[in-house]
Amino acid sequence: MRAVFAVVFLMLSARVQPLPLHSRYPASRNRISWQKKSVSEESELLWGHQCSPRLAWLHPQQDARLQCEIFGPSGTVLTWYKDQVAISPEMESVEESTNSVSWKDKTLRSTPSGVSKVRVKSTVYIDCASTEDMGEYSLKVQTPDHQVFTRNFTLTFAADESANPGPTCGIGKDLVTYLPRIYQYAPQALAYSGHDITLPCRQQGRDSAVTWYLRNSPLPRNSSKYLVLSNGDLVVRRVTVQDRGMYKCRAASTLVHGLSDQIRTFLYPML
């Protein structure tokens, strides 16, 4: 029993905010505002300013996050790769399949490109960094009309090894997989009235369940208005001005009470 409580304590400790990645260049060199785009980028998709440095250093045993954000059409698929291999192959297939889902014997497809837009943040969690985490990472972004955009990142160890080990080092790789952590979500979403929109909430914890809330009231998992997909995303059907507001997605462990992660999405209906 004591061992169980010790594990729970370590798991709760692991919720400490991971240390940031170290950049060799000023952060401003990596920023792109929503209003601007580079020559090579289409207006359909913009990279956000909260992307990690293209070249970053980690301390051994550091807890960190590799992240990026985009602003693009609802239904855009984001997939992370390490050394040209999908970090989670099954995750990619799920994302591809959810661009078209069934709802009460009817097929729902992503809204047309250029209609509903979402600002999506996507994260790769690096726990107790080791040499296995070093390498070339890339984020592949595919829009509903099959345009593909890619951003590349390089992670390597810093020369200074004086940093303290991260909390996840005391847990172990296996138990870390039970931490409910949301790795992809949309802080903001814009939807035209009458269209459906999908609000992402992807979490990677084992034995965890996702619940969506609107104005702090839990939403049904399957109704004529809302549908919570198996991957955690929320489909809001036929958006109206009454759907405006703050949505919350909470991923909670079914094994450890109080162990959870949550995000918020503000939905802006447009006429």
Side-chain angles (χ1 to χ4, degrees):
M1 182 63 70
R2 290 183 179 180
V4 173
F5 279 111
V7 170
V8 172
F9 176 78
L10 287 172
M11 292 177 73
L12 291 171
S13 299
R15 298 169 67 188
V16 174
Q17 189 79 354
L19 294 173
L21 295 173
H22 297 278
S23 172
R24 187 172 181 177
Y25 305 107
S28 60
R29 294 275 298 273
N30 193 52
R31 292 184 177 181
I32 302 176
S33 67
W34 296 122
Q35 290 75 29
K36 300 178 181 179
K37 57 180 181 291
S38 68
V39 175
S40 62
E41 291 174 326
E42 301 289 344
S43 59
E44 185 179 9
L45 185 139
L46 299 176
W47 296 98
H49 67 273
Q50 293 189 19
C51 289
S52 296
R54 304 291 188 97
L55 181 59
W57 276 258
L58 285 175
H59 293 296
Q61 298 188 313
Q62 175 185 348
D63 287 348
R65 295 179 300 180
L66 181 64
Q67 63 183 19
C68 204
E69 65 176 354
I70 62 98
F71 184 75
S74 177
T76 295
V77 177
L78 289 78
T79 309
W80 284 94
Y81 293 83
K82 181 181 182 295
D83 298 327
Q84 300 183 350
V85 177
I87 292 179
S88 182
E90 68 276 7
M91 183 188 305
E92 181 179 19
S93 62
V94 168
E95 290 177 335
E96 292 287 354
S97 65
T98 54
N99 276 341
S100 177
V101 300
S102 296
W103 186 339
K104 298 180 180 179
D105 299 326
K106 295 183 179 180
T107 299
L108 305 177
R109 298 190 179 275
S110 301
T111 51
S113 174
V115 177
S116 295
K117 301 282 188 179
V118 289
R119 174 190 170 199
V120 179
K121 289 187 176 182
S122 190
T123 301
V124 173
Y125 288 95
I126 299 174
D127 303 309
C128 194
S130 66
T131 54
E132 296 178 357
D133 299 307
M134 303 301 101
E136 303 294 325
Y137 290 76
S138 61
L139 176 60
K140 172 187 169 185
V141 181
Q142 182 171 318
T143 62
D145 60 358
H146 304 294
Q147 292 192 64
V148 176
F149 304 83
T150 303
R151 176 160 287 199
N152 300 314
F153 307 86
T154 300
L155 265 61
T156 187
F157 270 148
D160 180 13
E161 300 186 6
S162 60
N164 294 326
T168 62
C169 293
I171 300 177
K173 295 289 186 180
D174 291 336
L175 288 180
V176 166
T177 62
Y178 286 91
L179 292 175
R181 295 188 290 190
I182 297 171
Y183 66 87
Q184 189 166 295
Y185 72 100
Q188 290 95 26
L190 308 175
Y192 279 93
S193 295
H195 288 272
D196 301 343
I197 190 167
T198 301
L199 307 181
C201 181
R202 308 289 174 89
Q203 68 91 22
Q204 59 189 35
R206 297 169 59 183
D207 293 311
S208 299
V210 166
T211 304
W212 278 90
Y213 301 82
L214 175 59
R215 304 180 190 95
N216 295 320
S217 297
L219 296 176
R221 298 192 63 86
N222 190 349
S223 68
S224 60
K225 184 65 177 179
Y226 304 107
L227 174 66
V228 179
L229 303 179
S230 59
N231 60 14
D233 292 358
L234 173 69
V235 179
V236 182
R237 293 207 62 186
R238 296 183 295 276
V239 172
T240 68
V241 293
Q242 284 74 31
D243 295 315
R244 184 180 189 274
M246 186 69 74
Y247 292 75
K248 180 176 70 175
C249 175
R250 181 173 182 267
S253 170
T254 58
L255 300 177
V256 182
H257 178 72
L259 189 61
S260 64
D261 190 15
Q262 65 181 33
I263 58 88
R264 288 178 170 81
T265 298
F266 198 94
L267 176 60
Y268 297 89
M270 296 182 294
L271 299 178

